[in-house]
Amino acid sequence: MKVKDDQPLRIGFYVCHCGHNIAGVVDCAAVAQYAATLEGVVLSRDYKYMCSSPGQELIREDIRDHNLNRVVVASCSPLLHEHTFRTAVAAGGLNPFLFQMVNIREHDAWVHTDKAAATDKAKALAAAAIRRVARHRPLETTRAPIHPDVLVVGGGISGIHAALTLANAGKKVYLVERDPSIGGHMAQFDKTFPTLDCAACILTPKMSAVRAHKNIVLWTYSEVAKVEGYVGNYTVTVRRKARYVQEELCVGCQECVEACVFKEPKFPDRFNVGLSRRKPIYMPFPQAVPQAVVIDPERCIELKTGKCKKTCLEACADRHAIDFQQKEELVQIHVGSMIVATGYELFDPRRLPHYGYGRYPDVLTTLECERLISSSGPTGGELRLHSGQAPTAVGFVLCAGSRDYKTNRWCSRTCCMHSMKLAQIIRERTGAEVTLFYIDIRAPGKGGEEFYDRALAQGVKFVRGRVAEVSDCPLSPAEQGKLIVRVEDTLAGMVRRIPLDMVVLAVGMEPQANAQEVRRIMNMSCSAEGWFLEKHPKMAPVSTFTDGVFIAGCCQGPKDIPDSIAQAGAAAAEALALIDAGGIDQEPNTAYISEEDCSGCKSCVDLCPYKAIAFDPVKEKASINAALCKGCGVCVAACPSGSIGQNLFEDQEVFEEIEGVLAHA
Amino acid sequence: MPENNWQPRIVAFFCSWCTYTAADLAGVSRLKYAPNIRIIRLMCSGRVDPQFVLEALARGADGVLIGGCHPGDCHYAEGNFKTLRRYQMLRRVLGAMGISEERIRLEWISASEGERVRMVINDLVERIRILGPLDLPGRLAACDAELGASAQALRLPQYRQPAADLREVIHG
């Protein structure tokens, strides 16, 4: 076989057993024996764990002792360990790109049961890599600089924590939040499980710290509109929606709200999940950060008709904070990395009509119940029925929109603990009977089981069974005027009807409705359910497939506050590691044009989405700017004269692979 | 190769970001599919040169599968649209060559769709099984032999094998 450099080929081939993962299905020794017969292979071994340090040491020593000039490892996916083995090859004194990896775990041993067929497939894939690696040439990586500024998207507890961590490390952070205030779902909670400490007492200081921090630029009521560039060098366009109030001039006195021509608050208040009313000009909630009011253009008479007395302007007087002329703005910023912490949405229980939400006023969601018992809520913390009376019997329906094949299959992880928290608070404050209808109580995490014990000790009743129906049709005098929960008590082995005053649905978590849009803007992937996909579920839980983009909190999957904060810290640490490394090595898979072969047809020029191809009208040749090339190879496949090559994915390398996979029967 | 022992051989070109990752996910999820597929990783489905597909068929593949990101989701913005264009062209070329268009397939499979990898591979293997072996190398050899024999019978000097010419064209 012809090789570009003059040296004769000396390929070292290694098959990894990966314990039983590969060796349980693929006959590794047979693959090694087969590979030893192939052209250019001077050494062929099988070994238990190639990625372990003795495995890597083996490669290093063999390169030295056997004068290897190419290395092939058949093990797991290159997306997992290609970097590991390239590093080992480099440590052996060889250019790291004179290496090729064969995926015989994810693409072979794990997906096939027929051992003979799987072994044959491994041989074919090995033959392909051995043929391919012969064509490899030494390549050099380029190092891209990293812009030190970071964008954090989402101002819930995850985004807040990530932003503060980075800012405390001296990095400039842009925190972009869609709502008029940061705080997210946690701001709506009364207490947090399992410690029952007040949510506001631990969240609001962090919110103020964000506002006060000299390294944080806080943009609320803003959304990311566009992201361009690549790791280390992103250009982000942020849409700053019109608030109609100059944030920096507003002091948060709310005299304008008092003075509004609407004498009574009339419109549903989002913060209290529609349980209270607000005016067209309003403060999102008392502890909102920034402390600036916002005008709802859908409701404000001036903004709708231009014919209002504008009493708010008079009230604002010489502060001149209200600005009806304010327009949406697009602002461009440059950052090196981004943390996405866009959170979750609650399941809409109207999708489960048999639970009566929306039909019976005393069927609530956990968040509504939370607002009702919160001292900052619409009732000042008094749990009241629709009629105004205090409930004497309250039931919690768990797994409403979770662990359910008809709606969402996943466990939302927090609803058991959330319901037990509300149950305990209701027991304490009102003495009402509280019954939890559950499938399984899931109380993992620190203090979770103890919290469950505490709920039991407080006399909260637990009925095991998925609730079939909530109705108001009485069958007995005891059920008159009550909500009746029909449930199969799977421990008692009978169907029961339990009359209650109030039913709280423990609604699960769902990906944000615009998660797909955000995913596209950020160039991320989503799981089948719609949660943002991490690079590796265990080894890279906050990284994404796009370098420099990290994820934290519930946008990645349901989790509680401690887990969200832990992830936010991890994401901040990953971003810091990237920034402080000073640069990132880029895969040398760029395309290049051989000038003498280029016919100047310009087919490639318009194909490049990165404008990396320029045409020289004097020489009548195209050329590729390697700094702009991302290595997709679209132009390579299109060039009619075959004059474009792609490092790491040369035509000849792919042809060898094709021939290789088909050479073995 | 005896007909009754014939097993379909399919070469797949998967984009590294979506379909290759989905195939990794199928592995991690221990989904089982037919072992007749050989996956080659490329950075983008837009890198799939139609020559790759022709080469695979000429080397003995019975079918070719191309996997890329869903339209609008391409890691490189729009590489998959170029793939789609070339795929339509390839189908016509293959049809003109008398090769069933069903032997090549383009699928959009995102990184989370491990189950879809399993489904698509199993389905393609079954369809190719119904179509039977393509055996393009065998056909090209037979063509050479036949033309060579008639050339000999006609005592034509300096005969060049047309199938070998075709191979040269295909291999570039």
Side-chain angles (χ1 to χ4, degrees):
Chain A
M1 192 182 289
K2 278 189 283 178
V3 187
K4 283 212 171 160
D5 50 24
D6 304 332
Q7 290 174 14
L9 268 182
R10 295 188 63 81
I11 303 172
F13 178 79
Y14 302 85
V15 197
C16 178
H17 292 213
C18 195
H20 284 292
N21 283 306
I22 294 172
V25 182
V26 172
D27 182 346
C28 294
V31 176
Q33 273 167 24
Y34 166 77
T37 66
L38 298 176
E39 197 179 342
V41 177
V42 294
L43 182 108
S44 182
R45 297 184 192 272
D46 58 306
Y47 186 74
K48 262 221 145 38
Y49 292 105
M50 282 310 296
C51 61
S52 67
S53 26
Q56 294 185 48
E57 185 56 36
L58 194 63
I59 297 175
R60 284 197 291 272
E61 279 175 8
D62 284 349
I63 291 172
R64 278 194 295 268
D65 300 349
H66 297 268
N67 203 20
L68 301 178
N69 55 18
R70 298 287 189 283
V71 173
V72 174
V73 176
S75 56
C76 49
S77 170
L79 303 183
L80 189 65
H81 272 313
E82 189 173 51
H83 184 73
T84 312
F85 293 123
R86 277 183 182 166
T87 310
V89 168
L94 211 54
N95 182 284
F97 299 98
L98 297 174
F99 163 78
Q100 177 68 15
M101 201 161 166
V102 190
N103 186 344
I104 58 165
R105 193 177 74 171
E106 284 85 345
H107 288 193
D108 191 7
W110 276 354
V111 288
H112 305 314
T113 41
D114 179 340
K115 293 186 180 182
T119 304
D120 275 348
K121 181 171 177 178
K123 286 178 185 175
L125 294 173
I130 288 166
R131 293 183 73 106
R132 185 194 212 273
V133 82
R135 299 277 183 176
H136 283 204
R137 289 171 293 114
L139 296 168
E140 297 303 325
T141 52
T142 48
R143 207 165 160 75
I146 302 282
H147 195 292
D149 296 354
V150 187
L151 168 69
V152 177
V153 188
I157 183 58
S158 304
I160 289 173
H161 186 77
L164 282 173
T165 308
L166 287 161
N168 287 340
K171 305 300 172 195
K172 182 171 179 180
V173 181
Y174 296 92
L175 178 57
V176 173
E177 164 60 45
R178 163 171 83 166
D179 285 343
S181 169
I182 55 170
H185 281 103
M186 189 178 168
Q188 293 172 292
F189 296 156
D190 179 44
K191 290 188 171 174
T192 56
F193 60 77
T195 45
L196 292 185
D197 44 355
C198 150
C201 312
I202 50 182
L203 177 68
T204 47
K206 286 185 90 108
M207 289 164 63
S208 322
V210 165
R211 184 70 177 150
H213 210 295
K214 65 180 190 339
N215 291 336
I216 299 181
V217 176
L218 172 61
W219 285 341
T220 53
Y221 217 42
S222 304
E223 285 174 25
V224 174
K226 196 158 103 186
V227 173
E228 291 165 298
Y230 46 91
V231 55
N233 186 14
Y234 287 110
T235 303
V236 182
T237 309
V238 179
R239 183 185 301 117
R240 303 208 60 200
K241 293 178 277 188
R243 192 182 185 109
Y244 304 105
V245 172
Q246 303 263 5
E247 214 179 287
E248 55 286 0
L249 297 179
C250 178
V251 292
C253 66
Q254 299 184 55
E255 277 174 36
C256 51
V257 179
E258 265 315 293
C260 179
V261 291
F262 281 91
K263 289 293 163 232
E264 291 300 320
K266 205 176 155 189
F267 309 107
D269 178 358
R270 252 195 80 195
F271 182 73
N272 280 328
V273 263
L275 295 170
S276 68
R277 308 268 143 186
R278 62 158 170 81
K279 293 184 180 181
I281 186 163
Y282 64 102
M283 181 67 82
F285 53 96
Q287 301 81 18
V289 168
Q291 273 287 309
V293 293
V294 55
I295 301 178
D296 180 352
E298 304 279 303
R299 309 291 191 193
C300 171
I301 292 174
E302 175 62 18
L303 286 170
K304 272 169 71 182
T305 66
K307 288 177 190 156
C308 182
K309 281 190 280 178
K310 290 180 272 191
T311 43
C312 53
L313 276 185
E314 287 165 31
C316 194
D318 57 357
R319 288 187 289 269
H320 303 296
I322 297 174
D323 176 6
F324 286 113
Q325 307 311 316
Q326 206 175 52
K327 293 271 174 299
E328 181 178 290
E329 259 183 293
L330 290 175
V331 193
Q332 251 189 11
I333 53 170
H334 297 280
V335 296
S337 50
M338 299 184 276
I339 295 174
V340 180
T342 48
Y344 67 96
E345 229 163 65
L346 284 174
F347 173 80
D348 181 358
R350 286 180 189 85
R351 283 165 61 195
L352 298 170
H354 50 288
Y355 287 166
Y357 181 82
R359 205 162 62 235
Y360 308 126
D362 290 319
V363 176
L364 306 174
T365 66
T366 26
L367 189 58
E368 287 166 346
C369 180
E370 185 85 43
R371 292 313 303 151
L372 285 181
I373 57 164
S374 167
S375 50
S376 70
T379 56
E382 295 286 322
L383 189 64
R384 287 279 177 267
L385 293 169
H386 187 61
S387 61
Q389 288 175 314
T392 54
V394 180
F396 283 83
V397 177
L398 269 60
C399 299
S402 306
R403 303 184 66 196
D404 179 3
Y405 278 73
K406 288 186 205 128
T407 55
N408 297 327
R409 282 180 57 182
W410 59 83
C411 167
S412 293
R413 284 187 58 184
T414 55
C415 335
C416 285
M417 292 292 281
H418 193 178
S419 301
M420 288 195 287
K421 174 191 81 178
L422 293 170
Q424 291 184 28
I425 296 172
I426 293 172
R427 287 289 295 156
E428 264 171 28
R429 294 227 191 119
T430 70
E433 286 281 330
V434 182
T435 313
L436 255 81
F437 303 95
Y438 68 100
I439 305 176
D440 299 289
I441 287 294
R442 294 190 168 172
K446 201 170 177 181
E449 190 64 22
E450 294 89 328
F451 195 66
Y452 176 32
D453 287 341
R454 206 173 122 176
L456 285 167
Q458 284 193 358
V460 177
K461 291 181 191 160
F462 289 80
V463 174
R464 185 170 176 276
R466 186 192 278 282
V467 169
E469 182 191 43
V470 179
S471 77
D472 62 351
C473 307
L475 290 184
S476 65
E479 292 179 356
Q480 206 67 44
K482 301 263 183 186
L483 290 168
I484 301 109
V485 166
R486 201 156 63 86
V487 59
E488 182 188 357
D489 186 331
T490 56
L491 295 181
M494 58 189 281
V495 175
R496 293 171 64 181
R497 291 174 61 87
I498 299 176
L500 299 165
D501 297 320
M502 178 184 274
V503 173
V504 182
L505 306 177
V507 284
M509 293 187 199
E510 281 188 340
Q512 293 274 12
N514 69 342
Q516 291 294 331
E517 198 186 315
V518 173
R519 173 186 71 85
R520 284 199 180 164
I521 290 173
M522 295 290 172
N523 201 359
M524 295 185 291
S525 296
C526 272
S527 69
E529 298 81 19
W531 305 108
F532 295 146
L533 198 63
E534 62 280 1
K535 194 168 185 178
H536 191 278
K538 296 180 190 71
M539 307 315 289
V542 297
S543 303
T544 66
F545 288 99
T546 303
D547 285 337
V549 178
F550 305 101
I551 45 177
C554 290
C555 62
Q556 182 259 351
K559 52 183 69 65
D560 59 9
I561 295 166
D563 284 1
S564 295
I565 292 182
Q567 255 200 347
E574 292 280 357
L576 276 176
L578 190 66
I579 298 163
D580 284 358
I584 183 167
D585 287 332
Q586 288 186 309
E587 186 90 345
N589 56 12
T590 48
Y592 58 90
I593 297 181
S594 136
E595 205 174 84
E596 55 204 77
D597 298 331
C598 174
S599 67
C601 74
K602 298 189 239 179
S603 306
C604 55
V605 179
D606 290 335
L607 285 179
C608 181
Y610 305 103
K611 301 186 174 64
I613 310 180
F615 186 74
D616 183 336
V618 179
K619 283 200 268 182
E620 295 206 316
K621 305 277 180 193
S623 64
I624 293 176
N625 180 347
L628 294 177
C629 175
K630 300 282 169 298
C632 64
V634 160
C635 58
V636 192
C639 179
S641 62
S643 58
I644 310 184
Q646 185 188 7
N647 292 318
L648 279 179
F649 291 92
E650 299 287 1
D651 279 348
Q652 278 314 317
E653 291 171 351
V654 181
F655 283 137
E656 293 293 356
E657 246 185 293
I658 295 168
E659 204 171 329
V661 292
L662 293 165
H664 185 83
Chain B
M1 181 180 337
E3 197 79 355
N4 52 353
N5 277 344
W6 171 75
Q7 283 292 329
R9 287 195 297 170
I10 296 164
V11 174
F13 299 100
F14 283 177
C15 103
S16 185
W17 303 100
C18 286
T19 316
Y20 193 91
T21 311
D24 277 4
L25 176 65
V28 172
S29 317
R30 309 295 199 276
L31 305 176
K32 304 296 176 206
Y33 56 77
N36 309 58
I37 193 128
R38 311 282 183 259
I39 298 167
I40 293 175
R41 182 171 76 104
L42 297 170
M43 293 315 288
C44 179
S45 62
R47 176 68 182 89
V48 179
D49 191 323
Q51 277 196 54
F52 293 173
V53 178
L54 295 176
E55 169 82 7
L57 297 176
R59 292 285 178 191
D62 300 295
V64 172
L65 173 63
I66 304 167
C69 310
H70 286 268
D73 290 355
C74 178
H75 188 82
Y76 302 104
E78 50 199 38
N80 49 3
F81 289 113
K82 272 94 186 180
T83 318
L84 182 60
R85 227 154 59 179
R86 290 172 193 152
Y87 171 71
Q88 301 296 359
M89 183 270 289
L90 251 175
R91 281 171 68 94
R92 285 166 60 185
V93 169
L94 287 182
M97 288 166 75
I99 296 171
S100 167
E101 294 162 10
E102 277 193 59
R103 290 190 184 272
I104 63 166
R105 193 189 283 194
L106 172 63
E107 288 284 348
W108 309 133
I109 304 177
S110 79
S112 61
E113 295 177 309
E115 173 59 32
R116 189 163 167 75
V117 168
R118 187 189 68 82
M119 216 176 69
V120 164
I121 291 176
N122 280 345
D123 184 64
L124 185 62
V125 169
E126 277 324 298
R127 275 168 197 272
I128 301 284
R129 216 183 275 286
I130 293 165
L131 287 173
L134 175 64
D135 192 25
L136 211 47
R139 288 202 218 176
L140 291 171
C143 178
D144 278 347
E146 196 176 314
L147 289 171
S150 33
Q152 260 187 348
L154 294 166
R155 294 171 208 282
L156 289 179
Q158 292 287 309
Y159 166 69
R160 278 200 59 162
Q161 293 179 324
D165 284 354
L166 179 62
R167 263 201 294 274
E168 207 168 280
V169 170
I170 290 174
H171 302 161

